[in-house]
Short mmCIF file of all heavy atoms in Angstrom, two decimals:
data_model
loop_
_atom_site.label_atom_id
_atom_site.label_comp_id
_atom_site.label_asym_id
_atom_site.label_seq_id
_atom_site.Cartn_x
_atom_site.Cartn_y
_atom_site.Cartn_z
N CYS A 81 -8.69 12.64 2.79
CA CYS A 81 -9.78 12.48 3.74
C CYS A 81 -9.73 13.61 4.77
O CYS A 81 -8.66 14.14 5.05
CB CYS A 81 -9.66 11.12 4.43
SG CYS A 81 -9.85 9.75 3.27
N PRO A 82 -10.87 14.00 5.34
CA PRO A 82 -10.91 15.13 6.27
C PRO A 82 -9.97 14.99 7.46
O PRO A 82 -9.42 15.99 7.94
CB PRO A 82 -12.37 15.16 6.74
CG PRO A 82 -13.13 14.44 5.68
CD PRO A 82 -12.19 13.43 5.10
N GLN A 83 -9.76 13.78 7.95
CA GLN A 83 -8.92 13.61 9.13
C GLN A 83 -7.42 13.57 8.81
O GLN A 83 -6.60 13.62 9.72
CB GLN A 83 -9.31 12.35 9.91
CG GLN A 83 -8.93 11.05 9.21
CD GLN A 83 -10.00 10.51 8.28
OE1 GLN A 83 -10.87 11.25 7.83
NE2 GLN A 83 -9.93 9.23 7.98
N ASP A 84 -7.05 13.50 7.54
CA ASP A 84 -5.64 13.40 7.18
C ASP A 84 -4.99 14.78 7.15
O ASP A 84 -5.64 15.79 6.91
CB ASP A 84 -5.48 12.73 5.82
CG ASP A 84 -5.91 11.28 5.85
OD1 ASP A 84 -5.75 10.65 6.92
OD2 ASP A 84 -6.40 10.78 4.84
N ARG A 85 -3.68 14.79 7.37
CA ARG A 85 -2.91 16.03 7.38
C ARG A 85 -1.63 15.85 6.58
O ARG A 85 -0.93 14.85 6.72
CB ARG A 85 -2.56 16.43 8.82
CG ARG A 85 -3.77 16.80 9.66
CD ARG A 85 -4.42 18.07 9.12
NE ARG A 85 -5.69 18.38 9.73
CZ ARG A 85 -6.87 18.19 9.14
NH1 ARG A 85 -6.95 17.69 7.96
NH2 ARG A 85 -7.98 18.54 9.75
N VAL A 86 -1.33 16.85 5.76
CA VAL A 86 -0.10 16.85 4.98
C VAL A 86 1.07 17.10 5.92
O VAL A 86 1.01 17.99 6.77
CB VAL A 86 -0.14 17.93 3.88
CG1 VAL A 86 1.22 18.07 3.20
CG2 VAL A 86 -1.22 17.61 2.86
N ARG A 87 2.12 16.31 5.76
CA ARG A 87 3.34 16.51 6.56
C ARG A 87 4.45 17.16 5.74
O ARG A 87 5.23 17.92 6.26
CB ARG A 87 3.82 15.17 7.11
CG ARG A 87 2.87 14.59 8.11
CD ARG A 87 3.42 13.32 8.68
NE ARG A 87 2.49 12.77 9.64
CZ ARG A 87 2.78 11.80 10.47
NH1 ARG A 87 3.98 11.27 10.46
NH2 ARG A 87 1.89 11.36 11.31
N ARG A 88 4.51 16.81 4.46
CA ARG A 88 5.61 17.33 3.63
C ARG A 88 5.19 17.32 2.17
O ARG A 88 4.42 16.48 1.72
CB ARG A 88 6.83 16.42 3.79
CG ARG A 88 7.95 16.74 2.80
CD ARG A 88 9.12 15.81 2.96
NE ARG A 88 9.78 16.13 4.21
CZ ARG A 88 10.68 15.35 4.79
NH1 ARG A 88 11.02 14.20 4.25
NH2 ARG A 88 11.25 15.71 5.91
N VAL A 89 5.70 18.30 1.44
CA VAL A 89 5.53 18.33 -0.01
C VAL A 89 6.92 18.49 -0.62
O VAL A 89 7.73 19.28 -0.14
CB VAL A 89 4.57 19.46 -0.46
CG1 VAL A 89 5.04 20.81 -0.02
CG2 VAL A 89 4.37 19.43 -1.97
N GLU A 90 7.19 17.69 -1.64
CA GLU A 90 8.47 17.77 -2.36
C GLU A 90 8.19 18.00 -3.84
O GLU A 90 7.24 17.44 -4.39
CB GLU A 90 9.28 16.48 -2.20
CG GLU A 90 9.77 16.25 -0.80
CD GLU A 90 10.60 14.97 -0.68
OE1 GLU A 90 10.52 14.10 -1.57
OE2 GLU A 90 11.32 14.86 0.31
N VAL A 91 9.03 18.83 -4.44
CA VAL A 91 8.91 19.11 -5.87
C VAL A 91 10.22 18.70 -6.52
O VAL A 91 11.29 19.16 -6.13
CB VAL A 91 8.63 20.62 -6.11
CG1 VAL A 91 8.49 20.88 -7.60
CG2 VAL A 91 7.40 21.06 -5.35
N TRP A 92 10.12 17.82 -7.50
CA TRP A 92 11.28 17.29 -8.20
C TRP A 92 11.24 17.73 -9.66
O TRP A 92 10.17 17.86 -10.24
CB TRP A 92 11.28 15.76 -8.14
CG TRP A 92 11.44 15.22 -6.76
CD1 TRP A 92 10.50 15.16 -5.77
CD2 TRP A 92 12.62 14.66 -6.21
NE1 TRP A 92 11.02 14.59 -4.65
CE2 TRP A 92 12.32 14.27 -4.88
CE3 TRP A 92 13.90 14.44 -6.70
CZ2 TRP A 92 13.26 13.68 -4.05
CZ3 TRP A 92 14.84 13.85 -5.87
CH2 TRP A 92 14.52 13.48 -4.55
N ASP A 93 12.40 17.92 -10.24
CA ASP A 93 12.51 18.14 -11.67
C ASP A 93 12.21 16.78 -12.31
O ASP A 93 12.97 15.82 -12.13
CB ASP A 93 13.92 18.62 -12.03
CG ASP A 93 14.10 18.89 -13.51
OD1 ASP A 93 13.43 18.24 -14.33
OD2 ASP A 93 14.92 19.76 -13.84
N GLY A 94 11.11 16.70 -13.04
CA GLY A 94 10.67 15.42 -13.60
C GLY A 94 11.63 14.83 -14.62
O GLY A 94 11.65 13.63 -14.82
N ASP A 95 12.44 15.68 -15.27
CA ASP A 95 13.39 15.17 -16.27
C ASP A 95 14.73 14.81 -15.65
O ASP A 95 15.32 13.79 -15.99
CB ASP A 95 13.58 16.20 -17.39
CG ASP A 95 12.30 16.43 -18.18
OD1 ASP A 95 11.52 15.47 -18.33
OD2 ASP A 95 12.07 17.57 -18.61
N ALA A 96 15.22 15.66 -14.76
CA ALA A 96 16.55 15.45 -14.18
C ALA A 96 16.51 14.64 -12.89
O ALA A 96 17.55 14.28 -12.36
CB ALA A 96 17.23 16.80 -13.92
N GLU A 97 15.31 14.34 -12.37
CA GLU A 97 15.16 13.62 -11.11
C GLU A 97 16.01 14.27 -10.01
O GLU A 97 16.75 13.63 -9.29
CB GLU A 97 15.51 12.15 -11.29
CG GLU A 97 14.58 11.43 -12.24
CD GLU A 97 14.87 9.95 -12.37
OE1 GLU A 97 15.55 9.41 -11.48
OE2 GLU A 97 14.43 9.37 -13.35
N ARG A 98 15.82 15.58 -9.89
CA ARG A 98 16.57 16.37 -8.91
C ARG A 98 15.55 17.11 -8.05
O ARG A 98 14.58 17.67 -8.56
CB ARG A 98 17.47 17.34 -9.68
CG ARG A 98 18.17 18.39 -8.88
CD ARG A 98 19.02 19.29 -9.79
NE ARG A 98 18.29 19.96 -10.83
CZ ARG A 98 17.67 21.13 -10.69
NH1 ARG A 98 17.68 21.74 -9.53
NH2 ARG A 98 17.03 21.69 -11.71
N LEU A 99 15.77 17.11 -6.73
CA LEU A 99 14.88 17.83 -5.82
C LEU A 99 15.02 19.33 -6.06
O LEU A 99 16.12 19.87 -6.00
CB LEU A 99 15.21 17.49 -4.36
CG LEU A 99 14.31 18.13 -3.30
CD1 LEU A 99 12.88 17.61 -3.42
CD2 LEU A 99 14.85 17.85 -1.90
N VAL A 100 13.90 19.99 -6.35
CA VAL A 100 13.89 21.42 -6.64
C VAL A 100 13.48 22.22 -5.40
O VAL A 100 14.00 23.29 -5.14
CB VAL A 100 12.92 21.72 -7.81
CG1 VAL A 100 12.86 23.19 -8.11
CG2 VAL A 100 13.33 20.95 -9.05
N TRP A 101 12.51 21.67 -4.62
CA TRP A 101 12.03 22.39 -3.44
C TRP A 101 11.31 21.42 -2.51
O TRP A 101 10.75 20.41 -2.95
CB TRP A 101 11.06 23.49 -3.87
CG TRP A 101 10.56 24.32 -2.73
CD1 TRP A 101 11.21 25.35 -2.11
CD2 TRP A 101 9.31 24.18 -2.06
NE1 TRP A 101 10.44 25.85 -1.10
CE2 TRP A 101 9.26 25.15 -1.06
CE3 TRP A 101 8.23 23.32 -2.22
CZ2 TRP A 101 8.17 25.31 -0.20
CZ3 TRP A 101 7.14 23.47 -1.37
CH2 TRP A 101 7.12 24.46 -0.38
N ARG A 102 11.34 21.75 -1.22
CA ARG A 102 10.64 20.93 -0.24
C ARG A 102 10.07 21.84 0.85
O ARG A 102 10.74 22.76 1.31
CB ARG A 102 11.59 19.92 0.39
CG ARG A 102 10.92 19.05 1.43
CD ARG A 102 11.83 18.00 1.93
NE ARG A 102 12.57 18.55 3.06
CZ ARG A 102 13.67 18.03 3.54
NH1 ARG A 102 14.20 16.97 3.00
NH2 ARG A 102 14.27 18.57 4.56
N GLY A 103 8.85 21.55 1.27
CA GLY A 103 8.22 22.26 2.38
C GLY A 103 7.74 21.25 3.41
O GLY A 103 7.05 20.29 3.08
N ASP A 104 8.14 21.47 4.67
CA ASP A 104 7.77 20.56 5.76
C ASP A 104 6.76 21.20 6.68
O ASP A 104 6.89 22.38 7.05
CB ASP A 104 9.01 20.19 6.59
CG ASP A 104 9.97 19.31 5.83
OD1 ASP A 104 9.52 18.29 5.30
OD2 ASP A 104 11.16 19.66 5.76
N GLN A 105 5.77 20.43 7.10
CA GLN A 105 4.76 20.81 8.08
C GLN A 105 4.10 22.15 7.76
O GLN A 105 4.47 23.19 8.31
CB GLN A 105 5.38 20.81 9.48
CG GLN A 105 5.91 19.46 9.87
CD GLN A 105 6.61 19.45 11.21
OE1 GLN A 105 6.89 20.49 11.79
NE2 GLN A 105 6.89 18.27 11.70
N PRO A 106 3.11 22.12 6.89
CA PRO A 106 2.38 23.36 6.58
C PRO A 106 1.84 24.01 7.85
O PRO A 106 1.40 23.32 8.77
CB PRO A 106 1.23 22.89 5.68
CG PRO A 106 1.68 21.57 5.13
CD PRO A 106 2.56 20.97 6.17
#
Side-chain angles (χ1 to χ4, degrees):
C81 296
Q83 71 270 21
D84 293 329
R85 294 293 171 256
V86 171
R87 293 183 180 192
R88 171 182 290 166
V89 58
E90 292 181 342
V91 181
W92 295 76
D93 181 330
D95 295 327
E97 297 183 18
R98 171 180 58 86
L99 182 65
V100 178
W101 183 81
R102 180 175 88 197
D104 290 308
Q105 300 176 349

